[in-house]
Every structure is written in C-alpha cells, then in structure tokens.
Amino acid sequence: MAMILDGKKTAQKILDNLKQNISKYDKKPSLAVILANDSEASKIYVANKEKTAKETGFNFKMYQFDKSVTKEQLKNLILELNLDNSVHGIIVQLPLFNHLDGKEIIGLIDPKKDVDGFHPYNMGKLAQGNPSLICATPKGIMTLFKEYNILLQGKNVLVIGRSNIVGKPVSLLLINEGATVFCANSKTKNLKQIALNSDIIISATGHKNLVTKDMVKEGAIIIDVGISREGNRIRGDVDFENVKDIAGWITPVPKGVGPMTIASLMENTFEAFLTLEGLK
Ligand code: NAD
C-alpha cells in the first residue's frame, strides 16, 4: 500500500514559514495578477492565489479585463508594473482571450518579476541548469521529492505530457538532478512498457485513468498533476484507488500537487521581493 505524498501538509509548512519571514519586513511583498480570459476555471485559480497571498501576508492586486482588451493595453500595463517599485511579482493568467498571444505578452514581463517562471530568460536558465525563478508546478513537485527524501539521481522517470508549464520544465529539473527522463506525449508508442520500466511516473495530461495499475512497477513513485472534473469531483490522471495498492508513494488529487503549485508561486514572489529590494 502506497504512502501518501501530502501536498497540502507540505504546502502549509511552506506558507507558515513564508508568513513568518514576511512579517520581519516593514515593506510587504506584492503580487500583481492580470486576468484577460473569462473562463470559470481561471477565475477560480486566481481567487485561490488571492486568498493564499493575502493570508500569507502579501499585497495582492488583480487587473481584470473583458474581451475588448487590446494587446497595447496589456503591454502598457505590464511595462507600468515592471517599473513600479511596489510590485515584485507579475502573473499573466493563461490562457488569454484568443486574439492575444500568451508567449508574446509574457515576454514583456521583467524576468526578475516573472514569478510564474514562464519568461524565455527564466526557461533558458532552467535549461542551462542554472535556474532563477522556476515554474510553480514543477518547483512544487521537486519540493515534494525533497520533503520526502526521494533521491532522483539514477532514477528512470517517465513524464507524461510535454507542455511548457509542466512536462517540459519538470523534465529539465529532473535531468539537472541526474535522473534519466522519458518525456511522453499523446503520440508516444508503448507508453505501458515505458511506464513499467520507470521508478517514477509524473502524469500531466488532464485525462482521467490514463495511468492504471497494470502500468506501474511495484514500489514506483506516482505524481499526479492532472485535473479533470467528474460531476462535483476533481480527478487526476491516475486511477488512484487501484494504483495505490502497488505504488510506493503517491500524490492524491486533490491535496497533492495543486497546493504545492500555489505555495511555490508564493515562494517565488518572496524570492523576487528579496532580489528586487536588495535583501539577498
Ligand atoms: P496541456 O493540456 O498543455 O498538455 C497535455 C499534454 O499531455 C500534451 O503534451 C499531450 O501530448 C499529453 N498527452 C495527452 N494525452 C496523452 C496520452 N494519452 N499519452 C501521453 N501524453 C498525452 O497540459 P498542461 O497545461 O501541462 O496541463 C496538464 C494537466 O495538468 C491538466 O489537467 C491541467 O489542469 C493540470 N495542471 C495541474 C496543475 C496543478 O497545480 N495541479 C498545474 C498545471 C496543470
């Protein structure tokens, strides 16, 4: 029976620690979030970030736009926030309305304030093995490994999904730690064989029950990043009920990677604050 990698508990520990550190300074670290998309999911994600930021002692400011927003407007806002000394972190919540190019807009953020770690400068540093601000979900996964003393060197890791926000950056972080990484996508052949040869499986697709018991080696470590809805329930990519009988460690959904993502974002904002205020 697998042991649980408790993201909720680990995230709370990080946030309690951050709250204590923030209280030592007269100036508060400050996070600005730009929401230019009317999806309900994005609104929920931003509301969660706001709640956690405020509870942890950050200032939080949201800039919400409707469909009529132009590229120029967002560009001007980002340039203004880049120059604003009271702002330490800037997030552009993705996806944006269809007429806007997320990559182009994110490229305008000052890399020192890019607390999502999506700017090409920060992604490039990550690829070089010399990361500064690391994308929140991959960072949260790596923190969980550290918290539970899971060594990565020499391990075979299967990452399912190759997105710029999870699959690709987590693969780079694992490579940097000396793991042997296979990064799969929807066209990958023989996923089951590769999975059965893996010490660690990280699944980030949004397809429920993609990872089943017959794909998992006994004692393997399973990290479930996926989120999909089934009625009122939130589901991951992994058939948790059956996979937990064979895995060594497993993250639940919810209370696994999700809370670690938000806690890592707060850590990044505090790190940006220390850098920009010359405190480290
Ligand atoms: P995405 O939707 O951009 O890409 C999905 C990836 O999965 C693609 O690379 C695709 O090729 C791959 N894929 C799809 N079906 C596959 C299959 N059958 N076999 C192998 N690969 C397959 O992904 P994303 O933005 O990285 O998000 C992935 C999931 O993770 C979503 O459910 C998202 O909601 C969730 N997510 C969760 C958190 C969190 O904090 N828990 C954070 C980010 C994303």
Side-chain angles (χ1 to χ4, degrees):
M1 178 71 106
M3 287 175 283
I4 298 293
L5 293 163
D6 191 333
K8 183 142 193 262
K9 199 168 96 188
T10 309
Q12 197 53 55
K13 205 164 107 179
I14 292 170
L15 293 172
D16 290 346
N17 197 21
L18 273 178
K19 191 171 181 172
Q20 214 178 5
N21 280 331
I22 289 169
S23 68
K24 292 180 192 155
Y25 298 96
D26 293 333
K27 190 169 182 175
K28 276 188 177 184
S30 179
L31 178 61
V33 176
I34 298 170
L35 179 60
N37 150 19
D38 53 13
S39 99
E40 282 313 309
S42 289
K43 284 181 197 160
I44 293 170
Y45 294 145
V46 170
N48 285 340
K49 287 170 192 170
E50 177 169 12
K51 183 170 177 283
T52 308
K54 287 182 173 167
E55 282 172 2
T56 313
F58 292 88
N59 283 328
F60 182 95
K61 183 107 199 264
M62 176 153 80
Y63 299 84
Q64 190 168 0
F65 295 90
D66 62 26
K67 257 202 177 95
S68 67
V69 65
T70 62
K71 183 170 96 179
E72 277 307 302
Q73 271 175 293
L74 289 189
K75 184 177 167 183
N76 290 338
L77 172 60
I78 291 173
L79 297 183
E80 208 176 284
L81 294 172
N82 282 346
L83 294 173
D84 185 339
N85 290 335
S86 71
V87 173
H88 306 96
I90 303 171
I91 291 174
V92 175
Q93 183 70 34
L94 296 177
L96 295 171
F97 289 120
N98 283 338
H99 64 283
L100 298 163
D101 177 349
K103 284 201 187 94
E104 188 183 351
I105 300 292
I106 280 167
L108 298 168
I109 299 173
D110 177 346
K112 289 198 189 76
K113 298 190 178 188
D114 167 43
V115 290
D116 259 338
F118 295 157
H119 189 285
Y121 176 83
N122 286 316
M123 290 290 265
K125 287 199 77 180
L126 175 59
Q128 279 187 333
N130 177 33
S132 299
L133 291 167
I134 303 171
C135 328
T137 303
K139 177 174 172 147
I141 294 169
M142 299 305 277
T143 305
L144 263 186
F145 287 139
K146 206 180 257 174
E147 177 70 15
Y148 287 89
N149 296 315
I150 292 168
L151 295 179
L152 298 165
Q153 204 169 44
K155 296 270 167 66
N156 287 344
V157 187
L158 168 62
V159 176
I160 311 178
R162 58 162 171 191
S163 73
N164 285 331
I165 66 165
V166 187
K168 226 180 274 173
V170 83
S171 296
L172 289 169
L173 285 165
L174 291 159
I175 290 167
N176 293 343
E177 290 299 319
T180 304
V181 180
F182 193 106
C183 184
N185 62 69
S186 57
K187 304 285 186 291
T188 298
K189 295 186 184 111
N190 302 325
L191 191 66
K192 183 176 167 184
Q193 273 68 35
I194 300 159
L196 279 168
N197 192 34
S198 302
D199 305 306
I200 301 175
I201 300 175
I202 300 175
S203 188
T205 72
H207 291 278
K208 56 177 176 281
N209 292 333
L210 179 75
V211 178
T212 47
K213 189 176 175 180
D214 61 333
M215 295 168 70
V216 175
K217 182 167 91 169
E218 193 161 353
I221 297 160
I222 311 294
I223 308 288
D224 193 351
V225 184
I227 297 175
S228 51
R229 281 175 202 282
E230 193 176 60
N232 284 337
R233 252 184 89 188
I234 290 182
R235 295 284 311 273
D237 290 358
V238 177
D239 174 13
F240 182 88
E241 281 312 311
N242 293 306
V243 169
K244 73 173 176 8
D245 294 339
I246 190 164
W249 291 93
I250 191 166
T251 57
V253 175
K255 301 187 181 174
V257 174
M260 291 303 295
T261 296
I262 297 205
S264 302
L265 190 60
M266 299 301 137
E267 278 188 309
N268 279 351
T269 308
F270 185 61
E271 234 175 83
F273 164 77
L274 294 179
T275 304
L276 290 159
E277 295 294 331
L279 297 166
K280 74 169 198 181

